[in-house]
Amino acid sequence: MKHRITKNWGLKLVSFLFAVMLWIIVTNINDPISPLEVNNIPVTIKNENLITDKGQIFEVLDGTNMIDSVIIRAPRSIIDTLSASNVIAEADMNDLTSLNTISIKLYTNKYNDKVESIKGNIESVKLNIEDKQAKSLPIRPNVTGEIEEGYMVGNVSTEQNLIRVSGPKSVVSQIARAQAEVDVSGFTSNIGTDSDIRLYNEAGVEIRSQSIEKNITKVRVNVEILEKKTVPITYTVSGVPADGYKTTGEITSSRNAVMIAGKSELMRETASIEIPEGVLDVTGQRETVQTTIDLNDYLPKGAILAEEDFDGQIRIAVQIEQVQRRNLSVPVERINIMGVPAGFHATITEPEENYGIVLIGLNSELEQIDLAALEAYVDVAAWMTAEELTELESGYYRMPLAVGLPEDSTVVLEENWINVHITEPE
């Protein structure tokens, strides 16, 4: 029996090897090793806390946390069941090298033991590691674009005032301001919108980095849109200058009109900016009164100045001059008598042929009066009213003399009394 088993053993070994080779050939023909390429495989970084617990932060460089191409080699029966979702790429911080690189480990989440090989075009993740920094910044609202003609931007505010940012020290240290922008082009009414918060350096260049973390990314910005209107400025002078002096009525100002802005309803109701009594007080003054006022103090509530180069300061001068006296001689025969009650007769009984009167006023106004055409008169009826007389008797009376001055003139006649004889015909 033993002889039968060991007989021709060489031939039997050859037969066995041939059978194995034949099996391999048959197997490869029926289920050959085939490649599969999958793309864009993300790399999961494990144990990040090994960096963050030290108060540091890392940034992946050159996009090395995404493998563009992975080639898998496995039997066709296995390959046919695999896809990109089955490929796992990991980089463990425990494997961090002194060059700040981590080897990438590739495997599949099924049939991994039947995969002959798996290889990506990127073999390691490159990192930039540095200290982490955080800072808080005020959020500045900013408007862009051209507002509609006849309108302007009023108050601009944000509903949150601060943003906290953190990230690599080299990046965070460059951040100088946080800004939320709103485009106001074409608007004529208030705006409320959620705006992205952007970060800028000192030079005004926007800083964009995926390594920067923000506690908020948007903020509500409210923009007030105001209507503009140009209105005159009016002044009221109060008080009386010193004796012998008068205001000329001339007020000179560095501004006679101003552009303001406010809500449309307020602008419709506002016709002028009035400087009230008491501001321009000339009491006891003997020379021109000059003062400076802040127009902001007299704007209607809710209105603002709408001129960028005007701060509201106005210089005002109220002209004051010494009054002049002008002596005139009026022929008595030219003095008219009016208002004589019916049945009575009145005559002037001055002893002189000419009666002297004095006009008091500013020189500029006195020069405008035509003295030759000036009419003097006595008004009997007006005198009776002033004396509370209802009936008149014959006799001699002292009545005030008046002159016909222009209605808009401030020239006055010094008080004059003239003798008048009243008779009642028999």
Side-chain angles (χ1 to χ4, degrees), residues 65 99 196 238 387 417:
N65 59 343
L99 297 176
D196 292 328
S238 59
E387 296 293 325
W417 294 85

Side-chain angles (χ1 to χ4, degrees), residues 307-335:
E307 300 175 34
E308 292 183 2
D309 57 349
F310 178 51
D311 62 0
Q313 301 299 308
I314 298 179
R315 297 180 300 278
I316 306 172
V318 181
Q319 303 296 325
I320 296 176
E321 293 182 6
Q322 188 172 10
V323 296
Q324 306 294 321
R325 299 170 63 87
R326 184 68 58 83
N327 297 315
L328 298 177
S329 180
V330 180
V332 172
E333 63 182 16
R334 288 179 50 193
I335 300 175

Side-chain angles (χ1 to χ4, degrees), residues 22-324:
L22 183 62
W23 178 84
I24 293 174
I25 292 171
V26 171
T27 300
N28 283 335
I29 291 174
N30 293 331
D31 195 10
I33 298 297
S34 301
L36 171 65
E37 180 180 8
V38 293
N39 305 109
N40 301 324
I41 303 301
V43 180
T44 300
I45 298 178
K46 300 175 64 177
N47 297 312
E48 296 181 3
N49 62 296
L50 294 176
I51 297 297
T52 57
D53 288 350
K54 297 178 182 179
Q56 294 181 309
I57 193 170
F58 67 87
E59 179 183 9
V60 177
L61 301 178
D62 303 329
T64 52
N65 59 343
M66 179 68 72
I67 305 176
D68 299 328
S69 174
V70 174
I71 304 297
I72 307 169
R73 295 186 63 81
R76 180 179 297 277
S77 60
I78 301 300
I79 288 295
D80 289 343
T81 66
L82 297 177
S83 66
S85 62
N86 299 122
V87 178
I88 307 298
E90 293 178 342
D92 195 327
M93 281 291 185
N94 284 302
D95 300 328
L96 181 66
T97 70
S98 60
L99 297 176
N100 289 338
T101 61
I102 309 174
S103 296
I104 299 173
K105 296 178 180 179
L106 285 168
Y107 62 93
T108 60
N109 57 12
K110 67 178 184 178
Y111 304 125
N112 188 60
D113 58 336
K114 298 187 182 332
V115 172
E116 183 178 278
S117 66
I118 179 169
K119 188 174 183 179
N121 68 319
I122 297 175
E123 296 183 348
S124 61
V125 175
K126 299 177 183 179
L127 302 179
N128 174 51
I129 301 175
E130 58 181 291
D131 291 339
K132 184 177 182 180
Q133 184 180 18
K135 67 166 60 174
S136 295
L137 298 163
I139 303 172
R140 300 180 183 178
N142 184 53
V143 296
T144 60
E146 293 294 330
I147 196 73
E148 189 75 8
E149 184 71 23
Y151 293 83
M152 68 172 289
V153 174
N155 183 51
V156 182
S157 62
T158 58
E159 293 187 359
Q160 287 180 263
N161 299 321
L162 290 174
I163 181 176
R164 185 168 179 81
V165 298
S166 61
K169 183 177 180 179
S170 61
V171 180
V172 174
S173 62
Q174 297 181 49
I175 301 173
R177 70 175 189 270
Q179 192 165 285
E181 297 181 350
V182 177
D183 188 351
V184 298
S185 300
F187 278 89
T188 59
S189 59
N190 293 348
I191 305 171
T193 185
D194 294 327
S195 298
D196 292 328
I197 302 174
R198 299 181 179 180
L199 306 175
Y200 296 87
N201 64 15
E202 287 286 359
V205 178
E206 185 176 359
I207 297 175
R208 298 182 180 182
S209 174
Q210 294 182 350
S211 62
I212 294 294
E213 296 180 358
K214 307 173 185 176
N215 66 327
I216 54 174
T217 58
K218 290 179 177 289
V219 67
R220 188 74 174 178
V221 181
N222 297 311
V223 182
E224 185 180 40
I225 305 297
L226 304 176
E227 183 177 347
K228 296 193 293 186
K229 182 179 183 180
T230 299
V231 295
I233 305 171
T234 61
Y235 307 92
T236 300
V237 177
S238 59
V240 178
D243 290 342
Y245 292 83
K246 288 180 62 177
T247 59
T248 66
E250 181 183 0
I251 301 176
T252 58
S253 171
S254 58
R255 295 293 295 262
N256 294 314
V258 64
M259 181 181 291
I260 60 174
K263 293 182 178 180
S264 297
E265 182 179 357
L266 177 61
M267 293 300 96
R268 287 193 296 269
E269 296 173 352
T270 303
S272 64
I273 304 300
E274 298 179 1
I275 308 303
E277 291 186 14
V279 177
L280 302 178
D281 189 356
V282 298
T283 301
Q285 297 297 319
R286 289 180 168 83
E287 58 185 16
T288 296
V289 174
Q290 300 186 53
T291 187
T292 298
I293 67 169
D294 187 348
L295 195 61
N296 290 288
D297 296 335
Y298 307 101
L299 296 179
K301 185 177 181 180
I304 62 172
L305 297 175
E307 300 175 34
E308 292 183 2
D309 57 349
F310 178 51
D311 62 0
Q313 301 299 308
I314 298 179
R315 297 180 300 278
I316 306 172
V318 181
Q319 303 296 325
I320 296 176
E321 293 182 6
Q322 188 172 10
V323 296
Q324 306 294 321

Side-chain angles (χ1 to χ4, degrees), residues 13-27:
L13 178 60
V14 172
S15 299
F16 173 76
L17 293 175
F18 178 79
V20 171
M21 290 180 61
L22 183 62
W23 178 84
I24 293 174
I25 292 171
V26 171
T27 300

Side-chain angles (χ1 to χ4, degrees), residues 397-413:
Y397 299 93
R398 295 277 292 174
M399 297 185 184
L401 179 70
V403 293
L405 295 169
E407 291 184 3
D408 58 349
S409 176
T410 61
V411 172
V412 296
L413 175 68

